[in-house]
Amino acid sequence: MEKKTLFDKIWDAHVVKSVPEGPDVFFIDKHFIHEVTSPVAFLNLEKRGIGVRYPHRTVATPDHNVPTVDQDQTIKDKLSRMQVEKLRENCAKYGIELHDLGSAHHGIVHVIGPELGVTQPGMTIVCGDSHTSTHGAFGAIAFGIGTSEVEMVLATQCIMQSKPKKMRISVEGKLGEGVTSKDIILYIISKISAAGATGYFVEYAGSAIQSLSMEARMTICNMSIEMGARGGLIAPDETTFAYLKGKTYAPSGEQWTTAVAHWRTLKTDEGATFDEELQFDARDIEPMITYGTNPGMGIKVNASIPTAEGMEGSNKSSYLKSLEYMGFSPGEAILGKAVDYVFVGSCTNGRIEDIRSVAQMVKGKKKASNITAWIVPGSREVEKQAHEEGLVAILEEAGFELRQPGCSACLAMNDDKIPAGKYAVSTSNRNFEGRQGPGARTMLASPLTVAAVAITGRITDPREIFGN
Amino acid sequence: MAYDKFTLLRSTAVPLPTENVDTDQIIPARFLKATEREGFGDNLFRDWRYDVEGKPKKDFVLNDSTYSGKILVAGKNFGCGSSREHAVWAIYDYGFRCVVSSFFADIFKNNCLNIGVLPVTVSASFADRILSEVAKHPDTELEIDLAQQRITLLSTGEGETFDINAYKKGNMQHGFDDIDYLLNMASAIDTFAASR
Ligand code: SF4
């Protein structure tokens, strides 16, 4: 029998038709939409005079643009309000399930999908957002699409896609203390660069990956796009099934048993081939931080910023431009640099486990006086749980400001902006120029590192704070 | 939406050799609040193009009247980052019809093809040739012949062929989009959906 990878199994099961010398007509099981990339798609449907073909396969929530304070009131920013209102209108008109502001399951689209159990193994999932790759943690093919494709999915539940190449990245061994899944993925991207997996779909494997919780797996798959990959996935296992059991949309009763039996077959066959295979040793990975303006520019938190030696042409000038933006010099140490803001949130690290780990680190301590510390839960559910577990009290006691769920300072479309020239250490996924506000200087790190920075006010190795 | 047909384009070019240009630079998030597709060209490369007071930055290429044309020649890994199609709308709205680079990010490339902006991938050495030739002689014209899948530097005659899959090529040539294709096979999709 033909040996297949996990990716092949799911992909092949969703091809409605292969266009000769062209892409596949690819069926989408679940479609998430939000307020920013959907309005033009709906507008075009209207212009064509067609509707939404399978409304029950789409789930909506406003997240990118929403304020993170006073969510029970009318949105002040006119343009944001219009986008959210458009989303409401479109959902009502076509019968699409909407998790609106203030409702029990409102939140960042990639946080609520798994939380509701909408995301399940073996599915194909898309959203007009590149971090849709998050859902791959459940053994699903999930990736971001453009607005034209959002329109296609609404109209036909299909898109036209060429099958990407396949890469397997294995991480074997046991992670050291203070090293998290965020460090794993920042480490991998720093090794293969921000374009290193372009054209590929990645399967993450190996004992270090298997040992991770679902939240931690989502962090890894989330950042697949930051190395150019279309998406990343992890074979479902007992951890996956345990997470999904009892979730609102997860199968139950007999259907659960049947589903799990099927999900168990979703793994790469022994001997199946990949176009590219990479291996990493978990023991080489330490807490990471980025120093530049793309997620591939990461180093161990206790290392020095690379020099430009050996670079030339536009490579060198792009590198120096990036350091200049950050206000750093080649070759200097990053440890000890003063920081102004910390941000805990986003679809990368805005889940309950992340908030727990920050709370655990800062318990009984105070944030440094030079730091403004924001915690933005990924969803209402996360927020509720953080209250129930007493985490909010711990964080507020330490001087953190808790905001309401949304994308917030991850992309700074609302008022949560880092001022120009200020340094932010952030649990989000992108350190692009201006990503967290015009002129903002972003360094990406794990929630543990961010917590350590909040306490000391400087770039700090989280292992130094442990136990103190 | 159906878009302009693309057959043969002959134009001067605008050089932007910076590597890893992400879609947050092409169109910053704060300009994504529109609910219609038009008008994004004004904010193309907003923070590179204008200072905080909104004055044009002299050293940015779009503010340099020496360079103009319908072709943007970009550095490696162009269009990485967010899936926002707004980035391509901005490029199109500004007046570009073709982007040339030695390496494109995946989603960006797809988005280009979906709205009728032709992404042309050339070898790294030819990208460098074009960039240096255009820098030296801003009136240098490039010719993009989609039928022949060929890009030529008209001043010197140097050229290369480029890849594009036959289906997408046909779409570009006729101004068709994928939805037309998908809508035509609605019943096959329904049958497939019913089996799931
Ligand atoms: S949290 Fe950030 S990365 Fe995630 S969906 Fe929102 S804007 Fe995108």
Side-chain angles (χ1 to χ4, degrees):
Chain A
M1 217 175 74
E2 192 197 349
K3 309 273 188 232
K4 285 187 164 195
T5 68
L6 167 61
F7 177 76
D8 291 323
K9 289 181 186 177
I10 306 173
W11 184 280
D12 297 349
H14 288 83
V15 175
V16 181
K17 178 187 169 184
S18 288
V19 180
E21 286 190 81
D24 292 335
V25 174
F26 191 63
F27 188 82
I28 303 303
D29 292 317
K30 284 290 171 196
H31 181 206
F32 293 105
I33 57 171
H34 60 82
E35 77 281 21
V36 175
T37 55
S38 70
V40 172
F42 282 109
L43 196 68
N44 284 350
L45 289 185
E46 247 159 70
K47 285 188 193 161
R48 287 175 198 268
I50 53 179
V52 177
R53 190 94 186 166
Y54 298 101
H56 64 284
R57 289 185 182 271
T58 294
V59 176
T61 190
D63 55 1
H64 279 61
N65 212 335
V66 299
T68 51
V69 290
D70 302 331
Q71 286 187 346
D72 55 334
Q73 291 165 31
T74 312
I75 301 174
K76 288 200 191 83
D77 182 282
K78 182 167 163 254
L79 294 172
S80 305
R81 192 173 65 237
M82 272 171 61
Q83 282 193 330
V84 173
E85 279 168 3
K86 269 276 169 252
L87 185 71
R88 286 177 186 147
E89 245 172 62
N90 288 324
C91 289
K93 178 168 171 189
Y94 296 107
I96 292 168
E97 176 176 318
L98 171 70
H99 296 280
D100 207 346
L101 282 174
S103 69
H105 287 288
H106 171 254
I108 304 172
V109 60
H110 311 309
V111 177
I112 68 164
E115 220 169 64
L116 284 162
V118 172
T119 303
Q120 292 170 21
M123 281 184 168
T124 52
I125 299 171
V126 294
C127 171
D129 184 280
S130 57
H131 294 100
T132 308
S133 58
T134 313
H135 307 265
F138 291 80
I141 292 184
F143 55 90
I145 55 176
T147 298
S148 295
E149 291 165 319
V150 171
E151 187 187 339
M152 291 173 213
V153 179
L154 291 171
T156 69
Q157 208 57 38
C158 286
I159 50 174
M160 312 279 291
Q161 288 288 301
S162 300
K163 192 174 180 180
K165 288 183 286 182
K166 291 160 288 178
M167 181 187 286
R168 178 160 58 189
I169 299 181
S170 307
V171 187
E172 297 289 351
K174 201 169 167 303
L175 288 175
E177 196 185 8
V179 182
T180 70
S181 69
K182 182 65 163 285
D183 301 304
I184 300 180
I185 190 66
L186 284 173
Y187 177 82
I188 295 172
I189 304 170
S190 77
K191 291 289 171 201
I192 74 170
S193 94
T198 304
Y200 291 91
F201 215 97
V202 177
E203 178 177 344
Y204 300 97
S207 55
I209 303 289
Q210 284 157 1
S211 73
L212 299 172
S213 68
M214 286 317 294
E215 283 88 348
R217 292 180 191 186
M218 284 188 250
T219 303
I220 294 198
C221 290
N222 173 277
M223 289 194 73
S224 305
I225 181 75
E226 307 310 336
M227 50 191 177
R230 207 55 208 281
L233 77 176
I234 296 172
D237 60 9
E238 296 309 319
T239 308
T240 322
F241 310 148
Y243 178 98
L244 279 172
K245 193 153 196 189
K247 292 272 187 285
T248 313
Y249 288 98
S252 57
E254 219 168 283
Q255 282 175 337
W256 170 260
T257 320
T258 320
V260 172
H262 169 58
W263 293 345
R264 284 189 206 284
T265 67
L266 296 174
K267 53 180 181 231
T268 292
D269 296 330
E270 193 109 17
T273 52
F274 290 83
D275 300 286
E276 177 84 48
E277 290 235 37
L278 299 175
Q279 263 122 26
F280 296 100
D281 186 338
R283 284 166 308 186
D284 295 337
I285 307 176
E286 292 183 56
M288 297 285 294
I289 193 157
T290 64
Y291 59 90
T293 55
N294 74 59
M297 299 173 82
I299 47 174
K300 292 176 180 169
V301 67
N302 48 24
S304 302
I305 296 171
T307 63
E309 211 174 305
M311 297 182 186
E312 40 184 60
S314 52
N315 182 346
K316 185 172 178 179
S317 55
S318 303
Y319 181 72
L320 295 176
K321 179 175 179 282
S322 170
L323 287 194
E324 189 190 308
Y325 179 86
M326 292 300 293
F328 293 150
S329 310
E332 66 175 345
I334 201 152
L335 220 49
K337 292 225 169 256
V339 174
D340 308 292
Y341 283 77
V342 300
F343 173 63
V344 179
S346 89
C347 59
T348 314
N349 284 121
R351 298 188 183 78
I352 190 65
E353 193 177 275
D354 304 311
I355 298 188
R356 267 186 215 133
S357 71
V358 175
Q360 194 190 346
M361 285 280 280
V362 305
K363 189 170 185 176
K365 301 190 176 73
K366 289 269 185 242
K367 72 165 182 69
S369 58
N370 56 312
I371 294 280
T372 304
W374 290 337
I375 289 241
V376 183
S379 70
R380 287 270 290 194
E381 181 65 34
V382 171
E383 185 186 28
K384 183 168 149 240
Q385 218 173 328
H387 275 289
E388 286 168 2
E389 293 181 17
L391 308 175
V392 172
I394 296 173
L395 290 162
E396 286 181 340
E397 179 64 30
F400 279 70
E401 187 187 328
L402 179 85
R403 300 193 158 222
Q404 291 172 305
C407 294
S408 177
C410 173
L411 91 167
M413 266 190 93
N414 65 359
D415 289 340
D416 305 348
K417 291 180 174 50
I418 311 296
K422 298 289 181 195
Y423 289 97
V425 182
S426 175
T427 66
S428 57
N429 45 49
R430 284 189 175 142
N431 51 353
F432 297 152
E433 278 185 34
R435 171 79 178 183
Q436 298 196 287
R441 291 161 160 168
T442 300
M443 293 179 265
L444 305 173
S446 76
L448 284 185
T449 304
V450 169
V453 171
I455 300 302
T456 61
R458 306 187 162 273
I459 303 293
T460 305
D461 187 330
R463 293 169 296 192
E464 280 172 31
I465 305 285
F466 262 115
N468 292 355
Chain B
M1 288 277 101
Y3 45 76
D4 307 348
K5 294 177 185 171
F6 192 113
T7 47
L8 188 110
L9 176 67
R10 198 175 282 176
S11 167
T12 50
V14 177
L16 183 69
T18 310
E19 296 184 359
N20 297 313
V21 173
D22 57 77
T23 50
D24 275 80
Q25 307 318 312
I26 301 175
I27 184 94
R30 61 188 191 282
F31 300 111
L32 305 183
K33 295 185 181 177
T35 48
E36 311 228 354
R37 212 186 99 169
E38 288 73 32
F40 286 96
D42 293 345
N43 294 317
L44 175 66
F45 292 113
R46 178 74 197 202
D47 294 335
W48 288 359
R49 209 165 134 198
Y50 300 104
D51 65 16
V52 279
E53 271 121 50
K55 286 206 224 67
K57 293 186 185 174
K58 284 215 177 57
D59 57 352
F60 186 61
V61 69
L62 293 193
N63 296 323
D64 183 345
S65 58
T66 326
Y67 302 103
S68 63
K70 294 186 173 176
I71 300 169
L72 178 67
V73 187
K76 198 173 78 183
N77 199 24
F78 189 74
C80 56
S82 144
S83 62
R84 59 187 72 160
E85 199 169 292
H86 311 67
V88 193
W89 300 343
I91 286 172
Y92 181 93
D93 196 53
Y94 184 85
F96 293 117
R97 291 295 174 268
C98 171
V99 186
V100 179
S101 173
S102 62
F103 197 101
F104 288 101
D106 271 343
I107 302 182
F108 178 82
K109 194 162 148 189
N110 262 338
N111 286 344
C112 281
L113 288 164
N114 281 336
I115 73 148
V117 170
L118 183 67
V120 173
T121 309
V122 296
S123 67
S125 60
F126 192 49
D128 286 345
R129 275 294 299 136
I130 301 174
L131 285 167
S132 69
E133 195 61 22
V134 171
K136 261 188 281 167
H137 308 291
D139 55 351
T140 301
E141 282 195 310
L142 285 168
E143 183 184 272
I144 318 281
D145 183 340
L146 182 55
Q148 300 299 321
Q149 296 177 217
R150 190 160 183 85
I151 169 168
T152 313
L153 200 50
L154 289 177
S155 54
T156 67
E158 291 161 273
E160 264 188 13
T161 53
F162 59 86
D163 281 343
I164 179 169
N165 83 47
Y167 165 83
K168 284 288 182 190
K169 179 177 171 178
N171 273 4
M172 289 287 298
Q173 286 173 316
H174 297 107
F176 292 162
D177 61 18
D178 288 348
I179 302 199
D180 301 328
Y181 189 98
L182 292 171
L183 287 172
N184 278 330
M185 55 179 294
S187 67
I189 295 173
D190 283 346
T191 312
F192 188 92
S195 74
R196 299 199 54 82

